[in-house]
Amino acid sequence: MQIRLRDNAGHGVVNLKRRRILLVEDEEDIAELVAMHLRDLCDEVVVARDGHHGMRLATTADWALIILDLRLPGPDGLSICRAVRRERSFQPILMLTSKSSELDRVLGLETGADDYLTKPFSVLELGARVRAIFRRIESLRQTDGGSETIRVGGVHIDPARREVTLDGESIELTAREFDLLEHFARHPGRVFRRADLLDSVWGYGHEGYEHTVNSHINRLRAKIEADPSQPEMIVTVWGVGYKFCELEQPRLV
Ligand code: CA
């Protein structure tokens, strides 16, 4: 059975017939270790050892997941991530960084990676992240083809097509931004702690990644709020977390 999911632009991009992972990592020891553990989670792991090879493979084939090291000979992980996103906004991408200072840099940029891991990481942690990404794709596959849409104010979310419009204008969201917005819109008025959002949207329990939530919410606000510095839709509840505006209840049509 061949299954295809659509990206935000409506292209069929994710081929789940065979689950192939692309790993772009120049450090041989890490590449071998990671590839060995990933083989349990997919049908094939393809390793690219420099940015040029990684860029070519990442942009010309379908992958269940692309894992990008940040620092590479040739184009770096951010360049590859941006190039992939221009073509396929739905493509799951996991970014590897060497230091938390680099992680801050990655998070601060509009790269649209779905998840991040800072070296050194345990292979158990990596496995948990990859399984969470695959679970998310699987749940999307099961809802693909549904006809439900969610409207909150001027925001119109089509979960099946993974499309969002704001006052009739299409908005480009990364996969994670979309999941976050959909989660909020399905629970208007409910206050979520950052840890709740990590569990529900990122799909695995962990601590210390609250800044990931903040970063994604800031990027989402920049795309949907009239004035991101005075958000009216995704509101900060000081000392607790965030909630979605409760002025208008979502309408299922
Ligand atoms: Ca490297």
Side-chain angles (χ1 to χ4, degrees):
M1 181 172 60
Q2 182 158 329
I3 299 156
R4 283 182 170 265
L5 296 178
R6 284 185 294 267
D7 70 353
N8 293 353
H11 304 122
V13 287
V14 182
N15 185 348
L16 299 180
K17 185 183 175 191
R18 292 190 75 239
R19 192 177 258 178
R20 299 199 310 154
I21 295 177
L22 172 62
L23 171 63
V24 187
E25 169 62 85
D26 59 311
E27 289 161 76
E28 191 171 353
D29 293 353
I30 296 178
E32 279 180 10
L33 183 70
V34 167
M36 188 174 79
H37 282 83
L38 290 176
R39 284 194 185 100
D40 294 339
L41 301 173
C42 66
D43 297 308
E44 186 183 6
V45 181
V46 176
V47 180
R49 298 286 304 282
D50 65 66
H52 294 290
H53 190 203
M55 179 74 87
R56 196 162 59 245
L57 289 174
T59 54
T60 55
D62 288 351
W63 303 96
L65 174 65
I66 298 175
I67 301 178
L68 294 172
D69 187 30
L70 181 64
R71 291 195 193 193
L72 296 164
D76 67 6
L78 291 179
S79 306
I80 297 172
C81 186
R82 282 195 207 99
V84 170
R85 279 282 176 262
R86 278 198 292 272
E87 302 287 321
R88 306 196 299 273
S89 51
F90 186 74
Q91 171 67 59
I93 295 174
L94 174 69
M95 192 82 82
L96 305 178
T97 67
S98 302
K99 302 190 286 260
S100 43
S101 58
E102 286 183 348
L103 181 64
D104 290 341
R105 193 179 134 228
V106 170
L107 290 171
L109 294 169
E110 190 69 20
T111 56
D114 296 285
D115 208 347
Y116 313 86
L117 266 180
T118 303
K119 296 174 184 174
F121 51 81
S122 75
V123 288
L124 288 177
E125 177 74 0
L126 175 75
R129 300 295 184 93
V130 172
R131 275 192 294 274
I133 289 171
F134 285 163
R135 273 200 303 275
R136 193 163 55 80
I137 294 170
E138 186 64 20
S139 69
L140 292 175
R141 184 180 70 75
Q142 287 164 0
T143 57
D144 193 24
S147 58
E148 170 201 65
T149 58
I150 305 166
R151 291 169 198 262
V152 188
V155 178
H156 185 176
I157 302 171
D158 184 334
R161 293 178 175 274
R162 296 184 64 77
E163 290 171 353
V164 177
T165 58
L166 177 61
D167 299 329
E169 296 286 316
S170 180
I171 306 174
E172 287 290 313
L173 298 179
T174 67
R176 190 73 78 188
E177 289 162 2
F178 182 93
D179 292 344
L180 196 54
L181 179 61
E182 183 185 355
H183 188 69
F184 273 122
R186 285 183 182 280
H187 306 94
R190 191 197 292 184
V191 178
F192 292 101
R193 296 177 306 129
R194 290 170 183 81
D196 298 334
L197 294 169
L198 284 170
D199 280 345
S200 304
V201 178
W202 275 255
Y204 45 86
H206 52 271
E207 293 176 8
Y209 284 86
E210 278 73 11
H211 59 289
T212 300
V213 176
N214 300 352
S215 162
H216 279 78
I217 283 184
N218 286 339
R219 285 177 2 203
L220 194 51
R221 280 171 167 168
K223 293 180 180 182
I224 66 169
E225 299 281 357
D227 177 0
S229 67
Q230 307 260 323
E232 295 178 325
M233 301 178 80
I234 300 176
V235 180
T236 301
V237 182
W238 295 108
V240 186
Y242 300 98
K243 70 173 179 178
F244 200 69
C245 70
E246 53 194 331
L247 298 173
E248 291 189 62
Q249 296 297 309
R251 186 159 56 95
L252 300 180
V253 293

